Short mmCIF file of all heavy atoms in Angstrom, two decimals:
data_model
loop_
_atom_site.label_atom_id
_atom_site.label_comp_id
_atom_site.label_asym_id
_atom_site.label_seq_id
_atom_site.Cartn_x
_atom_site.Cartn_y
_atom_site.Cartn_z
N TYR A 113 -75.61 50.87 144.71
CA TYR A 113 -75.90 49.43 144.79
C TYR A 113 -74.97 48.68 143.85
O TYR A 113 -75.04 48.85 142.62
CB TYR A 113 -77.38 49.18 144.43
CG TYR A 113 -78.29 49.86 145.43
CD1 TYR A 113 -78.65 51.21 145.29
CD2 TYR A 113 -78.75 49.18 146.57
CE1 TYR A 113 -79.46 51.85 146.23
CE2 TYR A 113 -79.54 49.81 147.52
CZ TYR A 113 -79.90 51.15 147.34
OH TYR A 113 -80.68 51.78 148.28
N LEU A 114 -74.12 47.85 144.44
CA LEU A 114 -73.03 47.21 143.70
C LEU A 114 -73.46 45.89 143.06
O LEU A 114 -74.12 45.06 143.70
CB LEU A 114 -71.88 46.97 144.68
CG LEU A 114 -70.61 46.32 144.16
CD1 LEU A 114 -69.41 46.82 144.96
CD2 LEU A 114 -70.66 44.81 144.16
N THR A 115 -73.04 45.71 141.81
CA THR A 115 -73.25 44.45 141.11
C THR A 115 -71.93 44.00 140.51
O THR A 115 -71.14 44.82 140.01
CB THR A 115 -74.32 44.60 140.00
OG1 THR A 115 -75.60 44.71 140.62
CG2 THR A 115 -74.35 43.40 139.06
N ARG A 116 -71.68 42.68 140.62
CA ARG A 116 -70.51 42.07 139.97
C ARG A 116 -71.03 40.86 139.21
O ARG A 116 -71.46 39.88 139.82
CB ARG A 116 -69.46 41.67 141.02
CG ARG A 116 -68.24 41.02 140.40
CD ARG A 116 -67.23 40.66 141.48
NE ARG A 116 -66.13 39.90 140.92
CZ ARG A 116 -65.24 39.25 141.66
NH1 ARG A 116 -65.32 39.26 142.97
NH2 ARG A 116 -64.27 38.58 141.07
N LEU A 117 -71.00 40.92 137.90
CA LEU A 117 -71.53 39.81 137.10
C LEU A 117 -70.68 38.55 137.35
O LEU A 117 -69.52 38.65 137.73
CB LEU A 117 -71.54 40.18 135.61
CG LEU A 117 -72.46 41.36 135.22
CD1 LEU A 117 -72.48 41.54 133.71
CD2 LEU A 117 -73.88 41.17 135.75
N PRO A 118 -71.28 37.36 137.16
CA PRO A 118 -70.59 36.11 137.50
C PRO A 118 -69.23 35.95 136.82
O PRO A 118 -68.33 35.33 137.38
CB PRO A 118 -71.56 35.02 137.00
CG PRO A 118 -72.91 35.69 137.03
CD PRO A 118 -72.67 37.14 136.73
N ASP A 119 -69.04 36.51 135.63
CA ASP A 119 -67.75 36.32 134.94
C ASP A 119 -66.83 37.54 135.06
O ASP A 119 -65.82 37.63 134.36
CB ASP A 119 -67.99 35.97 133.46
CG ASP A 119 -68.75 37.05 132.73
OD1 ASP A 119 -69.40 37.90 133.40
OD2 ASP A 119 -68.69 37.08 131.48
N TRP A 120 -67.12 38.45 135.95
CA TRP A 120 -66.26 39.63 136.13
C TRP A 120 -65.16 39.35 137.14
O TRP A 120 -65.42 39.19 138.32
CB TRP A 120 -67.08 40.84 136.57
CG TRP A 120 -67.83 41.51 135.45
CD1 TRP A 120 -67.83 41.15 134.13
CD2 TRP A 120 -68.68 42.67 135.56
NE1 TRP A 120 -68.64 42.01 133.41
CE2 TRP A 120 -69.16 42.94 134.26
CE3 TRP A 120 -69.08 43.48 136.62
CZ2 TRP A 120 -70.03 44.01 134.00
CZ3 TRP A 120 -69.94 44.54 136.36
CH2 TRP A 120 -70.41 44.80 135.06
N LYS A 121 -63.90 39.32 136.63
CA LYS A 121 -62.74 39.09 137.51
C LYS A 121 -62.26 40.40 138.12
O LYS A 121 -61.76 40.42 139.23
CB LYS A 121 -61.57 38.52 136.68
CG LYS A 121 -61.84 37.16 136.09
CD LYS A 121 -60.67 36.76 135.20
CE LYS A 121 -60.95 35.40 134.56
NZ LYS A 121 -59.98 35.08 133.53
N SER A 122 -62.35 41.45 137.34
CA SER A 122 -61.66 42.69 137.72
C SER A 122 -62.59 43.90 137.73
O SER A 122 -62.12 45.02 137.83
CB SER A 122 -60.54 42.95 136.71
OG SER A 122 -61.11 43.15 135.42
N THR A 123 -63.89 43.65 137.61
CA THR A 123 -64.83 44.74 137.36
C THR A 123 -66.01 44.74 138.32
O THR A 123 -66.48 43.69 138.74
CB THR A 123 -65.37 44.59 135.91
OG1 THR A 123 -64.25 44.51 135.02
CG2 THR A 123 -66.25 45.75 135.50
N LEU A 124 -66.46 45.96 138.63
CA LEU A 124 -67.67 46.17 139.45
C LEU A 124 -68.46 47.30 138.82
O LEU A 124 -67.88 48.16 138.16
CB LEU A 124 -67.28 46.67 140.84
CG LEU A 124 -66.45 45.79 141.75
CD1 LEU A 124 -66.00 46.62 142.94
CD2 LEU A 124 -67.27 44.60 142.21
N ILE A 125 -69.75 47.30 139.08
CA ILE A 125 -70.54 48.45 138.65
C ILE A 125 -71.47 48.83 139.80
O ILE A 125 -71.96 47.94 140.52
CB ILE A 125 -71.29 48.17 137.32
CG1 ILE A 125 -71.74 49.49 136.69
CG2 ILE A 125 -72.44 47.18 137.49
CD1 ILE A 125 -72.00 49.39 135.18
N ILE A 126 -71.65 50.12 140.03
CA ILE A 126 -72.49 50.57 141.14
C ILE A 126 -73.60 51.46 140.59
O ILE A 126 -73.34 52.47 139.92
CB ILE A 126 -71.66 51.30 142.21
CG1 ILE A 126 -70.60 50.32 142.78
CG2 ILE A 126 -72.55 51.85 143.32
CD1 ILE A 126 -69.68 50.92 143.84
N ARG A 127 -74.82 51.08 140.89
CA ARG A 127 -76.00 51.81 140.43
C ARG A 127 -76.27 52.98 141.38
O ARG A 127 -76.31 52.80 142.60
CB ARG A 127 -77.20 50.85 140.42
CG ARG A 127 -78.49 51.43 139.92
CD ARG A 127 -79.55 50.34 139.83
NE ARG A 127 -79.98 49.86 141.14
CZ ARG A 127 -80.90 50.47 141.90
NH1 ARG A 127 -81.49 51.58 141.50
NH2 ARG A 127 -81.24 49.95 143.08
N ILE A 128 -76.44 54.14 140.81
CA ILE A 128 -76.78 55.33 141.60
C ILE A 128 -78.18 55.75 141.16
O ILE A 128 -78.37 56.27 140.05
CB ILE A 128 -75.75 56.46 141.37
CG1 ILE A 128 -74.36 55.96 141.83
CG2 ILE A 128 -76.15 57.74 142.09
CD1 ILE A 128 -73.21 56.92 141.54
N PRO A 129 -79.19 55.47 142.01
CA PRO A 129 -80.58 55.66 141.57
C PRO A 129 -80.90 57.10 141.14
O PRO A 129 -81.67 57.29 140.21
CB PRO A 129 -81.40 55.27 142.80
CG PRO A 129 -80.49 54.42 143.63
CD PRO A 129 -79.10 54.90 143.36
N ALA A 130 -80.31 58.09 141.82
CA ALA A 130 -80.58 59.48 141.45
C ALA A 130 -79.26 60.21 141.20
O ALA A 130 -78.46 60.43 142.11
CB ALA A 130 -81.37 60.18 142.54
#
Side-chain angles (χ1 to χ4, degrees):
Y113 297 85
L114 181 150
T115 287
R116 179 179 174 193
L117 297 185
D119 60 341
W120 281 359
K121 295 175 182 170
S122 62
T123 307
L124 297 169
I125 197 158
I126 299 179
R127 182 174 69 83
I128 299 174

